[in-house]
Amino acid sequence: MKKFVLFALLLLLTGCSKTVQIACNEPEIEVFIDDENYGRPPILLKVPHNKLYVYASFRRNGIEIHKQRINFIDGQNYYEISIPRHLQKNGNHKYHSNH
C-alpha cells in the first residue's frame, strides 16, 4: 500500500507540469519569460499543464527587440521563435524607399 501511495504521489507531482524547449533563430539573444531571465536559447521551461501561454521577450544588450506570446499547444514541446528579419543582428538587409 505504501508503494502505491508513493507511486501515485510521484505521478501526481510529475503530471502537474511539462517541460518545453524554446529555441530562436538568433542564438546570442537573451530570452525573458514573463519578465524572468532564462539566458540564451535554446532554453528549457517547466510550465504547469493548465498554463495556456507565456510572454517571451527577446533582448539584446538589455534592450527588448522582440516580444511574442507563445501559446502552448497540447502535445507540443518544442517552439522555435523567429526574430523578424529587420531586427536580426547579423542581417545585411537593403531597405527600399519610394522617395
Side-chain angles (χ1 to χ4, degrees):
M1 181 69 173
K2 287 182 183 180
K3 288 182 182 179
F4 175 74
V5 171
L6 189 59
F7 176 73
L9 182 60
L10 181 63
L11 187 61
L12 181 64
L13 290 175
T14 57
C16 293
S17 65
K18 64 180 179 178
T19 301
V20 296
Q21 183 178 21
I22 298 174
C24 182
N25 64 339
E26 190 173 318
E28 297 299 315
I29 203 159
E30 291 178 291
V31 180
F32 286 73
I33 302 295
D34 293 334
D35 291 325
E36 185 177 336
N37 189 342
Y38 278 81
R40 293 190 171 139
I43 65 163
L44 293 176
L45 180 65
K46 194 170 190 174
V47 294
H49 276 292
N50 62 349
K51 189 153 184 126
L52 301 176
Y53 61 88
V54 294
Y55 285 99
S57 171
F58 299 89
R59 302 177 189 181
R60 188 182 307 120
N61 299 323
I63 299 171
E64 182 177 273
I65 62 162
H66 182 65
K67 187 170 187 173
Q68 180 172 334
R69 179 174 151 161
I70 299 174
N71 297 309
F72 297 122
I73 301 167
D74 288 339
Q76 186 172 337
N77 61 1
Y78 179 80
Y79 299 86
E80 185 161 350
I81 307 302
S82 294
I83 301 296
R85 189 172 181 208
H86 68 281
L87 298 173
Q88 292 175 12
K89 183 177 183 178
N90 296 328
N92 210 3
H93 312 295
K94 295 182 180 176
Y95 297 95
H96 299 283
S97 174
N98 292 333
H99 301 286

